[in-house]
Amino acid sequence: MKVLLLAGGFGTRISEETHLVPKPMIEIGGKPILWHIMKMYSHYGYNDFMVLLGYKGYVIKEFFANYFMHQSDITVDLAENKISFHNNKSEPWKITLIDTGMNSMTGGRLLRARKYVGDEPFMLTYGDGVSDVNIKALEEYHQSHSGCITMTSVQPDGRFGSLVMDGDRISQFMEKPKGDGGWINGGFFVCNPKVFDYIEGDSTIFERDPLEKMAEDKELFAFKHTGFWKPMDTLRDKNQLEEMWAKNTAKWKTW
């Protein structure tokens, strides 16, 4: 099953980093967050990727075009104009890099990949969020119902500590508890090709009309994930993920 990765946005909320590289190429532990996401899928046996490019897409192209060399020891023979590779450590990935337009919305980017996807179900997620979601269980759940799309639903942590008060006395304190009980879109979709029929063109925002219409048509199902999930929306998020990786507490590292 192919895995489509949305990697074309401008990343304006983390502009401290994205003025140099596209958001999916911001590094956590010396590797782009896009690499971390791909490692998550690869752990479950999904190695056929399609990266939907836009803003500074050439940076992602160059990263993967030179990936084999960067992951190996090499000998450069200048006299013979030849490079030899040793101890290759690269993953068994097939990566299709698709230019989906600088200003396309998420639905438009997905629609532009239609000719590469074919008539088979596929995975879809964002290029800026990590999780310990069980990808294989997600696919199995999708196959168990008749809907055309499954969305991983999550309950994000609150931003601030929560207090339980007894008059002026604090009887309970919880640091960054789960949210108010509401479930939100956590990405990590499984889709049938029918989802393309809900997208009109480049200006379509996938999370609006297409998902809303699929919900109305009873085609949208939720795979509830109560484990770790975190998007990298801001520099604060990036620093938190970096700290988790440095302390070896990165819960998304399932490989």
Side-chain angles (χ1 to χ4, degrees), residues 238-251:
K238 188 263 187 188
N239 291 337
Q240 288 176 343
L241 292 170
E242 189 76 62
E243 183 180 6
M244 291 176 199
W245 187 265
K247 292 182 176 179
N248 200 30
T249 58
K251 294 182 180 179

Side-chain angles (χ1 to χ4, degrees), residues 64-79:
F64 285 113
N66 296 307
Y67 190 83
F68 189 84
M69 180 175 68
H70 291 164
Q71 294 295 112
S72 307
D73 296 334
I74 66 172
T75 298
V76 181
D77 187 334
L78 296 179

Side-chain angles (χ1 to χ4, degrees), residues 4 6 40 43 50 55 57 92 102 122 133 156 165 170 186 231 234 241-242 249:
L4 276 62
L6 288 161
M40 288 164 44
H43 171 71
M50 294 188 176
Y55 174 69
M102 182 70 73
F122 61 92
V133 60
M165 305 289 290
I170 298 173
T234 65
L241 292 170
E242 189 76 62
T249 58

Side-chain angles (χ1 to χ4, degrees), residues 9 54 56 65 75 98 114 119 123 130 136 152-153 181 189 196-197 207 226 248 250:
K56 293 187 182 293
T75 298
I98 306 169
R114 185 175 193 171
D119 297 324
M123 302 276 186
V130 289
K136 183 61 69 174
T152 298
S153 302
F189 301 90
F196 292 117
D197 298 336
E207 298 78 7
T226 57
N248 200 30

